[in-house]
Amino acid sequence: MPFNLKGRHFLTLKDHTSQEIDFLLQLSIKLKQDKYAGLRGKNLEGKNIALIFEKPSTRTRCAFVIACVDEGAHPEYLGKDDIQLGKKETVKDTARVLGRMFDGIQFRGFQHETVEGLAQYAGIPVWNGLTDRYHPTQVLADFMTVLEAKGKLQGIRFVYVGDGRNNMANSLMIGASKMGLDFRIVAPKVLFPAKELVKECQGFAEERNAKITITDDIATGVNAADVIYTDVWASMGEEAQIPERIKLLKNFQVNRSMFDQTGNPDCIFLHCLPAFHNTETKLAKQFPGICEVSEEIFESKHSQVFSEAENRVHTIKAVMVATLGK
Ligand code: CP
Ligand code: NVA
């Protein structure tokens, strides 16, 4: 049964029911099939989409642009130095101006309050392309990839290892609790998620019998895992904390030994990307020991990270089509 998400924002996943998330995932699968079949959509024909980026992006930016063009919309990239937001103009005024010109707004940036402000005042759908607290469009691509690899979400043992209180950990916990997963965060105690968010997610978990476990014990955390997921140890804006995070998280690197501890030869590896998995990048050269995943696992048959990255297009397209499409 289709759900009417027209005109709705997409900010955290907290406001979406499990049926609505299911609907978005099924729509993403359909849009992927259509694209593979060479069918070009017109669901966003004539729409103008503002893409505001305070932080850099490869996947999210490209996914929004490609999804817009695939469905006939016009995307307009508004980088942090291109617009007045935050320097000469308030969030409220920017929202009202863009709301008079555009049909939808994507925001990627620092404070979650900014995307909430845009949503409050723009009068058009606003989609969160990552804030310091949440990254909900990424979760749709992650879950779509799990569906493709495992055929279901209910009961899947999904283990997030690393910085347990960043935007990915928060959003995955919300999504997993709504979709009935056996979700675990494995992290040092100082990087456990906020207690209030865990409590909120435990509330969501009841509807679909999801399970949430937060532990610093790697062996019990990864036992029988179907999915091991990690993210960078210091998120955008936290670069000054890299040395401290390396010390805190060095034993939590996703590597062969951790995969062996799952006892599941079919366990898959996911990562939102970008990832540190070798010493080829500038930051990795500057900070030896920064790798949250070993090169071996990143390049192994377990790794589904490039399907996951591709799925950003199909899932972001689904969000725009569902909230703004004809
Ligand atoms: N996963 C993700 O959001 O990647 P980008 O930072 O490249 O957009
Ligand atoms: N936690 C990471 C996710 C990047 C997609 C960050 O915020 O930098």
Side-chain angles (χ1 to χ4, degrees), residues 19-172:
Q19 290 84 355
E20 288 167 346
I21 297 168
D22 257 340
F23 170 69
L24 287 170
L25 291 169
Q26 293 311 318
L27 180 58
S28 307
I29 291 166
K30 162 91 173 56
L31 290 167
K32 183 172 184 175
Q33 281 167 350
D34 286 353
K35 181 151 180 158
Y36 277 34
L39 300 171
R40 191 76 177 260
K42 289 186 179 170
N43 286 301
L44 300 173
E45 203 168 37
K47 306 288 185 191
N48 290 294
I49 308 296
L51 304 176
I52 306 176
F53 282 86
E54 286 180 348
K55 289 178 178 173
S57 166
T58 299
R59 281 141 288 268
T60 309
R61 174 181 177 172
C62 297
F64 268 99
V65 168
I66 291 164
C68 280
V69 173
D70 279 355
E71 292 292 335
H74 161 74
E76 187 65 29
Y77 178 79
L78 304 170
K80 69 175 174 16
D81 299 321
D82 303 330
I83 54 171
Q84 312 285 12
L85 176 65
K87 295 185 283 282
K88 279 174 78 177
E89 198 156 42
T90 61
V91 172
K92 187 172 174 178
D93 290 356
T94 304
R96 288 180 291 178
V97 170
L98 297 181
R100 295 290 186 104
M101 298 185 184
F102 287 92
D103 300 289
I105 300 174
Q106 182 280 162
F107 174 82
R108 160 169 292 201
F110 292 88
Q111 294 184 350
H112 188 70
E113 289 70 21
T114 308
V115 80
E116 283 178 342
L118 290 171
Q120 189 176 352
Y121 296 109
I124 55 175
V126 172
W127 311 296
N128 176 7
L130 180 148
T131 61
D132 286 346
R133 243 184 288 160
Y134 303 111
H135 195 9
T137 62
Q138 178 69 50
V139 174
L140 291 182
D142 302 339
F143 286 3
M144 180 177 175
T145 312
V146 173
L147 280 174
E148 289 173 334
K150 303 283 176 192
K152 61 174 188 173
L153 291 173
Q154 185 77 43
I156 286 288
R157 291 175 287 263
F158 190 115
V159 185
Y160 174 93
V161 185
D163 177 3
R165 30 102 283 161
N166 75 5
N167 43 18
M168 274 321 314
N170 290 345
S171 287
L172 285 166

Side-chain angles (χ1 to χ4, degrees), residues 245-261:
R245 291 286 169 76
I246 292 174
K247 276 191 212 142
L248 270 173
L249 285 159
K250 63 178 188 310
N251 295 331
F252 292 80
Q253 188 197 56
V254 176
N255 52 30
R256 173 58 57 197
S257 146
M258 188 180 283
F259 260 75
D260 287 347
Q261 287 182 76

Side-chain angles (χ1 to χ4, degrees), residues 284-296:
K285 281 189 179 59
Q286 194 182 338
F287 296 102
I290 201 176
C291 293
E292 67 274 4
V293 54
S294 68
E295 181 75 346
E296 186 197 353

